[in-house]
Amino acid sequence: MTGRLGRLRDTYRRLRLGTRLALGMGVLSLVVFAVVGTALSTYMRDYLERQLNDQMKLVQVTQSKDAQAHGTVERRPYYGWYTAVYDVSGDSAVLRRPSDVPKDTVQLTAFAESLARAGSTEMSHTTRIEDEGAYRLRACKIGPGVVLVTAAPLEDIEETMDQLVTVQVFAFALALLGLVVFGRAVLRRGLKPLSDMAHTARGITSHDFTDSARLPVRADRGNGGPEVEELRTAFNTMLEHIDDSLAVRTEAEQRLRRFVADASHELRTPLMSVRGYADLFQYAAANEPEEREKHLARLRAEAARMGVLLDDLLLLARLDAAEVEVPLRLEDADLVELARQAADAFRASHPDHPLSVTAGPDPVRLRLDVLRIRQVLDNLLTNAAVHTPAGTEVSVEVSVAAGQAVVRVTDSGPGVPAADQEHVFDRFFRIDKARSRDRGGSGLGLAVARSLTRAHGGTIDLTSRPGATTFTMRIRLAHDS
């Protein structure tokens, strides 16, 4: 039995939601129909029995007069009815003859005796008479020691009730069948948006995300009601979120691939140079001692350049993981003083580029990492010198605007092509692909500058046209942070 119930439960769970809801409505309707049918049948039986009791009461009024006049009831009121007059003495009742009674008078006699024992004037009772069927008995006292008992058959009431139950069963069965069939159709139509969303979800599972991070499917609008519309909106919002997350992941993976490829390419050149100069140094040590220092100096220079590249890569990696470890040593500092120090260093290393510094009379106090912000300024100034011809004017302006400290580094060089302006902060990006690494750097300077500025909660952007290229760094003032 338990195994059979388990199988039925498993079968029910495998049914589709619309079928389960239709069956649920059918069961609920069946219960409602059963309650309504039972209540209606009970009310109808009570009504018919009350009508019969009233009819028997009226009949007994006439019969009691007939019995008082003749001693017994001579007229039979209705076909199938029985009438008996009893002389009651104590607890015993004796039937007067002649009487219109069935062969089995036990029930009628017992009922007359019950009326006498109860001391009542009238009583009603339903019983079954042998070979006759169900009867309604009514007894009334018509004189001292005289009881009139009338028996009315319940066959008509039973037939009426059987017909009523039959009509109810057929009507309720048809209503239940129609409810399940049409309800299933209505539910199928109402649940179609859910089926569409399931189809959309299956489309997502079969989508190849290797080359594309975009989800080509969405749940279309339909007539599903407010609840389904809320579910559809939440579903599409979830898809948008997944779409954005996949786009970010794909972009990160592509950026990582480019970064690894570029880093491998950038490191390969100094490594090959180091290997070549090491071989030359070994050869010079054995054959041309006077060339050793020259090759050793070049070996050290390549090692130093590779060390700078690795330092920049390490710094960028630490900045990318800033939520785990913030690689900054913050302290109060004057941004104007840092700009002037960077300008002095630039003049010493690039005397062929005139440089001017513009700042207000008051210091610009910030909470920052002095070494890192100085690195940002040095990178911006070096970028201006490397990508402009000798004699190009460079300017540094420090100001305060809208609660932010602003540093602008401007050069009057040829400018950055419009197609390259959005990529200048990318790692290993060079505007002039043919420029040597000795002149053009590693392509990490501006990427480091942007990452360091963001680590301080600031921004850096570029505006460029022929004759004016400006890098603008903005950092929120200390009292606003």
Side-chain angles (χ1 to χ4, degrees):
M1 184 66 178
T2 304
R4 183 178 301 174
L5 290 176
R7 287 192 296 271
L8 290 175
R9 190 183 300 111
D10 294 338
T11 302
Y12 176 77
R13 289 175 178 173
R14 286 194 296 268
L15 295 176
R16 295 184 64 84
L17 178 59
T19 304
R20 293 168 64 176
L21 290 175
L23 291 177
M25 287 194 307
V27 173
L28 180 61
S29 301
L30 185 62
V31 173
V32 172
F33 291 160
V35 172
V36 172
T38 302
L40 181 61
S41 299
T42 302
Y43 173 79
M44 181 60 68
R45 177 177 287 277
D46 291 343
Y47 173 77
L48 293 176
E49 288 183 354
R50 285 196 304 270
Q51 291 290 99
L52 182 60
N53 287 338
D54 294 340
Q55 186 179 8
M56 294 176 69
K57 186 175 182 180
L58 291 175
V59 168
Q60 282 188 332
V61 171
T62 303
Q63 289 178 336
S64 64
K65 294 178 181 179
D66 192 13
Q68 289 174 354
H70 304 92
T72 61
V73 177
E74 296 182 351
R75 292 181 296 179
R76 189 173 184 179
Y78 299 104
Y79 175 78
W81 286 45
Y82 298 106
T83 303
V85 179
Y86 286 91
D87 292 319
V88 180
S89 176
D91 292 337
S92 62
V94 178
L95 177 65
R96 291 182 181 182
R97 299 285 183 177
S99 295
D100 185 13
V101 294
K103 296 179 180 180
D104 180 15
T105 61
V106 174
Q107 297 296 333
L108 276 69
T109 303
F111 193 52
E113 293 173 350
S114 298
L115 178 67
R117 286 194 299 269
S120 301
T121 57
E122 59 182 28
M123 288 178 58
S124 296
H125 175 62
T126 299
T127 187
R128 178 169 292 278
I129 299 176
E130 187 176 356
D131 298 331
E132 296 293 336
Y135 270 77
R136 184 70 175 174
L137 304 182
R138 189 177 192 279
C140 65
K141 191 174 182 180
I142 60 175
V146 181
V147 174
L148 173 63
V149 178
T150 303
L154 295 178
E155 182 179 358
D156 292 340
I157 294 179
E158 295 294 340
E159 290 180 356
T160 301
M161 292 305 302
D162 290 342
Q163 293 176 1
L164 177 61
V165 171
T166 302
V167 170
Q168 287 179 347
V169 168
F170 278 102
F172 289 163
L174 290 176
L176 182 62
L177 180 62
L179 181 64
V180 172
V181 173
F182 289 105
R184 179 70 180 92
V186 172
L187 287 172
R188 182 180 301 168
R189 181 180 180 85
L191 295 175
K192 187 177 183 301
L194 299 182
S195 299
D196 294 340
M197 280 185 270
H199 179 72
T200 301
R202 286 192 294 270
I204 293 174
T205 59
S206 61
H207 181 65
D208 184 11
F209 297 103
T210 303
D211 298 324
S212 174
R214 304 302 299 176
L215 295 174
V217 290
R218 291 291 186 275
D220 297 329
R221 297 180 62 86
N223 298 323
E227 294 81 3
V228 176
E229 188 61 30
E230 291 178 4
L231 178 60
R232 182 186 296 107
T233 301
F235 186 77
N236 287 335
T237 302
M238 179 190 69
L239 291 182
E240 290 291 343
H241 178 70
I242 294 174
D243 223 4
D244 295 339
S245 299
L246 289 174
V248 172
R249 189 198 68 178
T250 302
E251 177 63 24
E253 290 179 351
Q254 293 175 352
R255 188 166 57 248
L256 178 61
R257 293 191 189 102
R258 290 195 303 269
F259 179 79
V260 172
D262 291 340
S264 300
H265 180 72
E266 294 294 332
L267 289 173
R268 182 178 60 183
T269 300
L271 283 174
M272 291 179 64
S273 298
V274 168
R275 181 184 299 173
Y277 287 129
D279 292 339
L280 289 174
F281 179 79
Q282 183 180 13
Y283 174 79
N287 301 286
E288 299 180 10
E290 65 277 4
E291 295 290 329
R292 288 184 304 174
E293 293 300 326
K294 176 183 176 181
H295 297 315
L296 182 59
R298 291 177 179 177
L299 185 62
R300 289 173 177 169
E302 290 299 325
R305 190 161 70 88
M306 187 168 58
V308 171
L309 178 60
L310 290 174
D311 288 342
D312 287 343
L313 290 174
L314 178 60
L315 176 60
L316 288 172
R318 294 180 65 195
L319 290 172
D320 288 342
E323 66 276 5
V324 178
E325 174 188 1
V326 180
L328 299 178
R329 294 182 176 87
L330 301 178
E331 58 181 284
D332 292 330
D334 180 10
L335 188 59
V336 175
E337 180 62 25
L338 288 177
R340 287 175 178 157
Q341 292 175 6
D344 292 339
F346 179 79
R347 293 190 185 100
S349 59
H350 300 88
D352 54 346
H353 284 75
L355 175 65
S356 62
V357 178
T358 303
D362 298 326
V364 179
R365 307 297 300 182
L366 292 174
R367 183 102 179 140
L368 47 78
D369 187 323
V370 174
L371 294 178
R372 295 310 184 186
I373 293 299
R374 172 62 187 277
Q375 184 177 359
V376 173
L377 297 175
D378 290 341
N379 286 354
L380 295 178
L381 289 171
T382 301
N383 182 77
V386 168
H387 295 90
T388 59
T392 302
E393 295 183 356
V394 181
S395 65
V396 178
E397 178 186 355
V398 182
S399 61
V400 175
Q404 292 180 324
V406 181
V407 179
R408 291 183 174 87
V409 178
T410 305
D411 66 73
S412 57
V416 179
D420 294 332
Q421 290 184 15
E422 60 178 315
H423 300 292
V424 294
F425 294 103
D426 293 348
R427 300 173 186 183
F428 300 111
F429 179 79
R430 294 187 184 87
I431 297 176
D432 185 1
K433 303 298 188 297
R435 183 182 296 272
S436 71
R437 290 177 176 82
D438 293 335
R439 287 290 311 279
S442 64
L444 294 176
L446 292 180
V448 170
R450 182 179 63 174
S451 296
L452 286 174
T453 303
R454 287 180 175 177
H456 284 82
T459 60
I460 186 169
D461 54 63
L462 165 69
T463 57
S464 181
R465 56 183 175 80
T469 298
T470 302
F471 287 90
T472 304
M473 178 181 69
R474 293 180 175 88
I475 301 177
R476 189 174 298 276
L477 294 175
H479 60 271
D480 290 334
S481 59

